[in-house]
Amino acid sequence: MATSASSERAAEPCPLAVLISGGGSNLLAIEDACRRGQIPARIVLVLSDKPQATGLSRAAERGLNTLALPIESGESRSDHDDRLLRAIEASGARFVILAGYMRILSAAFVEALAGRLLNIHPSLLPRHKGLHTHRRVLEAGEVEHGATVHFVTVDLDGGPPILQAVIPVRPDDTEASLAMRVQRCEHVIYPTVVGWLASGRLACTGGQVILDGNRLPCAQVQRFEV
Ligand code: GRF
């Protein structure tokens, strides 16, 4: 059967910008998934506020475009975020993936990227917003922990959740062991959600998460026995 040239051509991979401040293990997991063709995306820019971030050099070793935008002396949050936004828009990125980006973003930045901005947080949101999540889970004696991928809104760590990785907390767990096991799960769920977004299956409109045309009333859950 004759097929038109355009339908034979694979769809262009969706351009992504990834923002990091640290080791970049989630960035690398997403890049692996892109390179293996598991998700229809490509990373067009890796940005960091920390020029020494290990993730930035790891990204450069893989041939990705990298850019360090450290805070200049006396620069306001909104001026820095303006520079960030200009670099993102110039890169042609359609979606922006926060992967361990440790600065709080201004409302103007978040609003400019509404529906195009994802984050991963190392807890089962809405539990344990903010820092030191593994310690707080142990202190609270909780039996489950995990990570959440969510759309970013001006409500810090409070945007609509999409997918959560859930792991059991073991009696001998420490902050370090929890951090390691949670991160292993992050490396599975973050590429999954980025893939949904890049392939047009996922959107956020009016604060509602839509997956495959259906409203998600709460996060999807994936359980891991790691
Ligand atoms: C991850 O644990 C993520 O949950 C949090 O920051 C960490 C980033 O790790 N937002 P990496 O830089 O991707 O290794």
Side-chain angles (χ1 to χ4, degrees):
M1 189 173 71
T3 323
S4 77
S6 59
S7 64
E8 278 172 8
R9 252 195 321 266
E12 281 294 304
C14 176
L16 308 174
V18 183
L19 271 57
I20 62 166
S21 298
S25 67
N26 280 283
L27 156 72
L28 298 184
I30 292 166
E31 207 266 329
D32 282 341
C34 294
R35 201 155 22 86
R36 291 193 201 115
Q38 285 168 357
I39 63 178
R42 70 192 167 96
I43 296 171
V44 293
L45 183 61
V46 178
L47 270 163
S48 180
D49 57 325
K50 300 265 182 283
Q52 305 308 326
T54 318
L56 215 48
S57 46
R58 286 165 138 181
E61 280 163 19
R62 290 187 175 205
L64 298 174
N65 283 329
T66 61
L67 181 61
L69 283 182
I71 322 302
E72 288 171 358
S73 132
E75 188 178 36
S76 69
R77 184 179 305 281
S78 68
D79 284 350
H80 182 254
D81 283 359
D82 280 351
R83 287 201 290 140
L84 211 57
L85 191 57
R86 282 200 297 274
I88 290 166
E89 299 299 14
S91 75
R94 186 151 154 231
F95 297 111
V96 179
I97 311 302
L98 304 180
Y101 186 71
M102 296 308 286
R103 272 180 68 78
I104 293 175
L105 293 159
S106 61
F109 180 93
V110 171
E111 277 158 8
L113 293 171
R116 296 169 57 200
L117 189 56
L118 287 185
N119 184 41
I120 189 158
H121 182 78
S123 80
L124 297 175
L125 291 171
R127 293 212 292 271
H128 307 302
K129 296 177 179 181
L131 299 173
H132 309 301
T133 58
H134 312 302
R135 185 188 312 167
R136 286 153 63 202
V137 162
L138 289 172
E139 284 169 358
E142 290 172 8
V143 296
E144 287 188 329
H145 186 31
T148 305
V149 181
H150 64 96
F151 281 106
V152 177
T153 64
V154 291
D155 180 10
L156 187 66
D157 296 332
I162 304 159
L163 178 61
Q164 291 187 316
V166 178
I167 63 166
V169 177
R170 305 212 171 101
D172 56 348
D173 263 323
T174 60
E175 270 188 69
S177 68
L178 278 182
M180 191 189 71
R181 286 164 52 230
V182 166
Q183 254 200 352
R184 277 168 58 191
C185 304
E186 291 182 351
H187 300 162
V188 177
I189 63 168
Y190 215 0
T192 298
V193 175
V194 172
W196 291 344
L197 196 60
S199 58
R201 295 177 56 192
L202 177 71
C204 184
T205 45
Q208 301 285 339
V209 178
I210 310 290
L211 181 62
D212 294 329
N214 301 310
R215 189 177 77 82
L216 278 194
C218 57
Q220 306 272 85
V221 170
Q222 192 171 349
R223 291 184 179 275
F224 293 81
E225 285 298 328
V226 289

